[in-house]
Amino acid sequence: MRDIAVFSGSAHPELAQEVCAHLGVPLSPTRVSRFANDCLEVQLQANCRERDVFLIQPLVKPVQEHLVELLLMCDAARGASAGRITVVMPHYSYARSDKKDAPRISLGGRLVADLMVAAGASRVLAVTLHSPQVHGFFSVPVDHLHALRELAAHFRRYDLSRTTVVSPDLGNAKEAAAFARMLGAQVAAGAKQRFADDRVSINSVIGDVADRDVIVLDDEIAKGSTVLELLDRLRELGPRSIRVACTHGLFADGALKRIGEQSDVLEIVCTNTVPVAAQERTDKLRILTVAPALAEAVRRIHNGESVSALFDAPRTE
């Protein structure tokens, strides 16, 4: 893959290294420096001229720093006459700002998409956007991957004969139903109402969970308030076992510790779309890699092949 150049920002260089290892290409160096006035400067330290450039950067804490860094990387690649610039964004945090549900609020999901295109992005490769409409915020092509294959491959090692996949809310029920079909399991969903970023109420669970092995599936876990509220409702219904799974394990403000302390939660499973600090991990945590899927998507984009064909068959162990 001679004409490809892969760069990483500072958000998740370990994932970028793993993607490059699967591609069989080197991770090109990036220099990020800060001026005395606190402004960032980015230099891509490899030739970009007429090359297919891929910039790997999830938007994770500190989100604003990593966003500006990504924008500067796009601008640097465009100024270096890159043939095409693809932003590989394993986690798009601003995707949660996707609707105008209160007066005079900003639509950050659309604004940040516009900023990336204005900075020079020709294409975007994302993983499990918060909602399908975010795809339409971009005026350039978007390849939207999901991690359900990786999660399904992990859970197939268990006896799934009495398993129910539970979505914390109806908004995520479609993804939960797709995941349940992969496992040959039943599906259920919580009736959730959100009052604030960290305050939710789940009044009931729609579906059969009594005396069944439950897998709680969400797209991301941030403060964990939704999962903890759902666990309270599930306990009232008497499941046989509980496991928790998500794509983006943000685990803010000690969420991983709080969920891990629940004695009836046997396992917490996430992917490495975002980094999880070693000191925050628990014995119950399992982190699955999405690097092979990202690498294959990058290869297909570079070669002009179908990316959607990645999902034609479920992945097996």
Side-chain angles (χ1 to χ4, degrees), residues 168-187:
D169 54 52
L170 296 176
N172 196 56
K174 185 175 181 180
E175 183 173 340
F179 187 59
R181 286 194 296 271
M182 287 182 173
L183 299 179
Q186 294 186 21
V187 66

Side-chain angles (χ1 to χ4, degrees), residues 138-150:
F138 291 87
S139 58
V140 295
V142 177
D143 291 300
H144 187 194
L145 306 184
H146 62 68
L148 296 185
R149 291 190 316 154
E150 285 73 18

Side-chain angles (χ1 to χ4, degrees), residues 140-289:
V140 295
V142 177
D143 291 300
H144 187 194
L145 306 184
H146 62 68
L148 296 185
R149 291 190 316 154
E150 285 73 18
L151 293 169
H154 172 81
F155 284 106
R156 285 194 190 102
R157 68 186 67 188
Y158 302 120
D159 178 6
L160 300 174
S161 59
R162 290 186 57 82
T163 296
T164 299
V165 177
V166 181
S167 168
D169 54 52
L170 296 176
N172 196 56
K174 185 175 181 180
E175 183 173 340
F179 187 59
R181 286 194 296 271
M182 287 182 173
L183 299 179
Q186 294 186 21
V187 66
K192 184 177 83 170
Q193 184 176 5
R194 181 175 291 279
F195 300 100
D197 185 48
D198 59 350
R199 191 164 66 89
V200 300
S201 173
I202 297 177
N203 299 318
S204 61
V205 176
I206 304 166
D208 184 14
V209 298
D211 195 33
R212 296 184 65 84
D213 300 311
V214 166
I215 301 173
V216 175
L217 178 72
D218 209 349
D219 62 325
E220 68 177 59
I221 297 176
K223 290 187 175 181
S225 53
T226 296
V227 170
L228 293 172
E229 176 76 4
L230 179 60
L231 292 178
D232 287 340
R233 298 291 80 74
L234 289 172
R235 291 181 183 113
E236 297 170 359
L237 300 171
R240 188 166 70 174
S241 68
I242 301 175
R243 288 178 168 85
V244 175
C246 68
T247 298
H248 310 299
L250 301 174
F251 303 127
D253 298 333
L256 184 56
K257 182 174 184 290
R258 289 194 297 275
I259 298 171
E261 286 174 346
Q262 309 300 308
S263 59
D264 51 357
V265 173
L266 302 181
E267 189 177 41
I268 305 166
V269 184
C270 69
T271 74
N272 63 342
T273 55
V274 302
V276 180
Q279 64 269 24
E280 296 179 2
R281 300 182 186 185
T282 73
D283 292 340
K284 295 183 179 180
L285 181 65
R286 305 290 182 269
I287 301 177
L288 313 178
T289 182

Side-chain angles (χ1 to χ4, degrees), residues 48-53 76-85 122:
C48 297
R49 186 173 298 273
E50 299 304 322
R51 301 181 79 187
D52 205 358
V53 172
R78 180 175 58 180
S81 301
R84 180 174 60 180
I85 302 168
S122 313

